[in-house]
Amino acid sequence: MTSNVILMALVPVFFVLLLGFVAGKARMVDNGHVEGLNAVVMDFALPASLFAATASAPRDGITEQAPVFLVFGVTMLVIYAGWYWFERSFFAVTRSDAAVQALTVGFPNLAGVGLPIMSTVLGPAGVVPVAVALATGSILVSPLTLVIAEISASKVRGTDAPASPVLTALRRAFAKPVVWAPALGVVFSLSGLKLDPLVHACLVLIGSAAAGVALFLTGLVLSAQSLRIDWRVIAATGAADILRPLLAVATVYGFHLGPDVAKTAILLAALPSGFFGILFAVNYRLDSGTVGSMVIASTGFSIVTLAIAIATLFPH
């Protein structure tokens, strides 16, 4: 039974990811300009899916996810801060590069890998914790990276940084549909309102494309990156695929959380590195090669670590 769950959870995910990778390498799809596909996923399909899932969830179902926010937030911030310090102390990279790499190691691929895996393992209910985790990262580590990158970019241009870089970064982060859609869905659910069936059906139709297209996009983005295996990439892979879930385990036990919440939070933390760091690196003209190698290595190694995590957490 466990082996069947592992196969059903992982094989479709990596098949679609490989499909995008091959399409990019073969130039069947332009892997140098992914803005259009990224907009489809991050501005339309994924926000629709997350809003529909959170808005239609019962109030108790949302409040039960508060520990996921806690565990995921603590885990990501510790990994982010640790990797930023590691890069700045031992490799003397710029603050922007260190921040983008910390984002890559700390913020897992929830949109591409997390959504289909959680839906397979937990069923339709698996979308809600993914939405909460994605909102957590978008509220905490993404704006932090934007603040550091914006200040550094201003110095390079010889211009002054924004008067309030924190507020500027938060405003930019919260303007993204993938951030405010699940948050709005949570507010909708907590208010006791019921989502109209017709509205729900419309959102689910576009939202159903989120997982598959996000995976394809991940493979497409990775196909444009060169793979460089060095000790930094190996360390980043270990931090993302091994240390991050172990830190989630320690956090779960530290706060004495229930088994269901614990399993969900740990599996979310076990996901491979996300591709947001690559998009940030390209946008700010940073070292996308190192970040891309980290994502490729983490994604490949996660075949093993995710299988172990699913077998351990969901043995039946």
Side-chain angles (χ1 to χ4, degrees), residues 14-98:
F14 285 95
F15 168 76
V16 178
L17 194 151
L18 183 62
L19 206 61
F21 187 86
V22 171
K25 284 294 185 184
R27 298 294 181 184
M28 290 184 282
V29 181
D30 186 1
N31 61 5
H33 299 86
V34 298
E35 294 84 1
L37 263 181
N38 187 58
V40 170
V41 174
M42 304 305 290
D43 295 338
F44 294 96
L46 189 59
S49 175
L50 298 179
F51 176 79
T54 51
S56 60
R59 183 183 301 176
D60 291 346
I62 294 295
T63 56
E64 288 172 358
Q65 299 305 317
V68 172
F69 181 91
L70 174 64
V71 174
F72 209 69
V74 170
T75 301
M76 279 194 300
L77 285 173
V78 170
I79 293 292
Y80 186 100
W83 190 263
Y84 183 88
W85 171 83
F86 176 75
E87 284 289 332
R88 292 285 293 164
S89 299
F90 294 97
F91 292 97
V93 301
T94 65
R95 289 185 175 87
S96 294
D97 277 312

Side-chain angles (χ1 to χ4, degrees), residues 179-311:
V179 177
W180 59 255
L184 184 62
V186 168
V187 172
F188 196 92
S189 174
L190 293 177
S191 68
L193 298 173
K194 300 294 183 183
L195 191 63
D196 182 80
L198 181 59
V199 175
H200 184 267
C202 292
L203 293 172
V204 167
L205 184 59
I206 180 64
S208 62
V213 180
L215 271 175
F216 189 90
L217 174 63
T218 300
L220 194 62
V221 169
L222 294 182
S223 72
Q225 307 300 315
S226 58
L227 178 60
R228 301 199 306 255
I229 298 296
D230 54 26
W231 285 111
R232 185 192 301 184
V233 172
I234 294 172
T237 302
D241 292 9
I242 299 175
L243 184 59
R244 194 192 318 121
L246 289 180
L247 181 58
V249 172
T251 306
V252 161
Y253 280 100
F255 286 103
H256 305 288
L257 301 179
D260 291 338
V261 171
K263 290 178 181 180
T264 300
I266 294 168
L267 184 56
L268 286 169
L271 297 170
S273 295
F275 59 84
F276 285 1
I278 297 175
L279 301 178
F280 275 51
V282 171
N283 186 48
Y284 286 98
R285 294 186 174 91
L286 302 173
D287 183 9
S288 62
T290 297
V291 173
S293 296
M294 290 176 176
V295 176
I296 293 173
S298 173
T299 303
F301 188 58
S302 71
I303 297 175
V304 176
T305 54
L306 278 174
I308 294 172
I310 294 172

